Amino acid sequence: MKSEPPGDQVLGARSAGEDHPSVESTRSRILDIALELFTVQGYEKTSLRQIAEELGYSKAAIYYHFKSKDEILLALHYRLHDFGHSALESIETSSDTVASWTTFVDQFIDLMLEHRNLFTLHERNRAALERLHDERHGASHDDLEDHFRRALGDTSVDLDTRVRMAASFGAIFGCLVLVGDAFHDVPAEDLRQSLRWAVRDLMRQPE
């Protein structure tokens, strides 16, 4: 009798009536659950067994997709890199007016709020991420930083605008990441609107 492939054994649905999830969707669910656990209780205090229990799978299912907990953390970190590259590409295609910069930052605030947990994960687990630093990880960091420097170092845009743009990014990261849970109970729409007002103040043309 033909044996079942490993994927069917470890990726079985929670009940007999459910369809088997795809490899990619299961991998994504593992990352989503790990993101929540790593953010709330920390990377070091979260076990693979906990992640598996939240998913309703065996621990073997996790190993089918990821060799270790470290590999899960790096995969989440690369999600942040992908987001960062997409956002910075938008800067480089923007025009050089204050209005277009402000419009971009409005969109960036929306993306930040959508991916807020990824940024929080990074800040709360920085020590673990630095321990996992490897050649690929370092190259990705360098590329992201170069992208950012190119965008804000464009001398065709006047200095005041570039400084105010950099300050706007600082305000967004400070509000959504660096202060931790200070605004956790604030409805997302209220926080979005307050941030947009703050950015407009920063981007306001000098008298």
Side-chain angles (χ1 to χ4, degrees), residues 73-142:
L73 182 61
L74 280 178
L76 286 169
H77 186 60
Y78 287 128
R79 274 187 175 183
L80 185 59
H81 277 252
D82 291 341
F83 159 72
H85 282 296
S86 297
L88 291 174
E89 284 172 2
S90 298
I91 299 177
E92 292 189 332
T93 58
S94 297
S95 61
D96 58 1
T97 66
V98 170
S100 65
W101 283 105
T102 305
T103 298
F104 167 76
V105 174
D106 282 350
Q107 296 168 349
F108 187 70
I109 289 170
D110 291 340
L111 288 170
M112 280 286 292
L113 284 168
E114 181 182 349
H115 298 281
R116 188 177 181 182
N117 281 353
L118 280 175
F119 290 93
T120 303
L121 167 79
H122 187 277
E123 290 301 314
R124 292 182 180 177
N125 298 278
R126 186 178 295 274
L129 283 164
E130 289 178 352
R131 177 176 58 80
L132 295 176
H133 194 281
D134 57 22
E135 183 176 346
R136 178 190 168 201
H137 188 198
S140 183
H141 263 302
D142 292 343

